[in-house]
Amino acid sequence: MEQKSDNLTLEQEAENRIKAGLQLVPYIGGTLATLYFDRKQQKEFNRLTNFYTELSTDLENLKEKFSLDNQDEVKLITLIEKINNKVEKEVVKEKIDCLKYFFRNILTQPVKDDYDEKVLFLESLSSMSILEIEILKFIDSQNNFVQIGIIQKPGVEQYAIIGAIGRLRNFGYLQSTSGGMSIGDRSDNYLRELVKVSIFGEKFIKFCLNYKN
């Protein structure tokens, strides 16, 4: 993690600025800052505790034997540290379940030369919305190219779906091809495009989403 010259991490610097800002609130600033950070730290601690409690149960049920013999221990520990940071901030159960599945897979599939790929998976998973995960699962379930215009969800704007698909493409998890172009009407040609899960996207799904098992 990047550090400042005074040995404070960027996150600690940000927290100090937030604390200083809260303390400016008249009369109750100091108390408010204390309450905020005590509660924040307790929530993060509880999330980690729940995460490892549930994870240990899941791993026990697998009846698999885990070994560190083939692991690059430095890379493994670095990934675990990154997972912990994500868990502390995550509030969506579906995402926490994905993080548990990711953790299981780095134990059963030794992290070596594919470390950078696993980091990319973890970072993209952490930043993805539930809508993006649902869309990726839906496209994957079709086993072929899907026209963007038919991908819909009640209560969700069509262009929110288009934006989600754009992000999935930027991650490298979708490939696309032209679905034909219409000239002279008011239809959006982007909706005619066809998308399909890429080979890289299939690897991400298999390693992180656990919806087929």
Side-chain angles (χ1 to χ4, degrees):
M1 181 179 291
E2 184 178 352
Q3 291 189 320
K4 306 284 285 187
S5 58
D6 57 2
N7 294 324
L8 290 178
T9 66
L10 293 178
E11 183 177 357
Q12 289 169 332
E13 285 282 331
E15 288 191 352
N16 285 343
R17 287 195 293 271
I18 294 170
K19 184 179 291 187
L22 286 171
Q23 288 173 338
L24 293 175
V25 177
Y27 309 116
I28 61 169
T31 302
L32 190 61
T34 300
L35 286 173
Y36 174 82
F37 281 98
D38 283 352
R39 183 170 176 78
K40 175 177 179 290
Q41 290 167 1
Q42 186 60 48
K43 280 186 174 182
E44 292 174 352
F45 175 78
N46 288 342
R47 286 176 191 142
L48 271 179
T49 300
N50 292 337
F51 177 81
Y52 281 107
T53 299
E54 294 172 1
L55 179 66
S56 65
T57 301
D58 292 346
L59 296 181
E60 282 289 341
N61 292 336
L62 286 175
K63 304 300 182 184
E64 291 186 33
K65 293 182 178 180
F66 303 101
S67 172
L68 298 180
D69 292 345
N70 297 318
Q71 290 276 10
D72 182 318
E73 294 185 12
V74 173
K75 292 178 179 177
L76 177 64
I77 294 303
T78 302
L79 272 178
I80 291 174
E81 181 181 15
K82 289 180 181 293
I83 293 170
N84 287 343
N85 290 336
K86 306 302 182 188
V87 172
E88 286 177 347
K89 304 297 187 295
E90 186 56 67
V91 298
V92 180
K93 184 182 184 304
E94 292 91 332
K95 298 275 291 290
I96 293 174
D97 287 342
C98 290
L99 289 168
K100 285 192 296 182
Y101 190 63
F102 181 94
F103 198 117
R104 187 192 102 174
N105 282 333
I106 63 172
L107 292 180
T108 57
Q109 302 174 42
V111 179
K112 291 185 177 179
D113 295 337
D114 61 351
Y115 170 77
D116 288 340
E117 179 177 276
K118 296 302 182 287
V119 170
L120 191 152
F121 284 172
L122 181 59
E123 294 299 330
S124 60
L125 173 63
S126 179
S127 71
M128 285 168 69
S129 67
I130 294 300
L131 176 63
E132 289 163 356
I133 292 175
E134 289 176 345
I135 289 173
L136 186 60
K137 288 179 179 180
F138 171 76
I139 296 172
D140 182 58
S141 70
Q142 303 306 296
N143 297 315
N144 209 331
F145 281 99
V146 180
Q147 190 173 60
I148 290 177
I150 73 165
I151 302 174
Q152 298 181 358
K153 181 179 180 181
V156 178
E157 291 284 344
Q158 185 72 58
Y159 282 91
I161 291 174
I162 289 175
I165 291 172
R167 274 178 42 90
L168 292 170
R169 274 202 288 207
N170 288 339
F171 290 139
Y173 300 153
L174 295 179
Q175 62 185 86
S176 61
T177 187
S178 173
M181 181 175 291
S182 176
I183 300 175
D185 62 24
R186 296 190 176 186
S187 62
D188 190 332
N189 286 311
Y190 192 89
L191 298 176
R192 300 175 187 271
E193 285 194 31
L194 305 174
V195 289
K196 180 182 179 181
V197 174
S198 66
I199 293 175
F200 190 57
E202 290 173 356
K203 292 178 70 175
F204 170 81
I205 290 169
K206 184 177 181 181
F207 204 86
C208 299
L209 299 191
N210 186 30
Y211 83 99
K212 293 182 176 180
N213 297 337

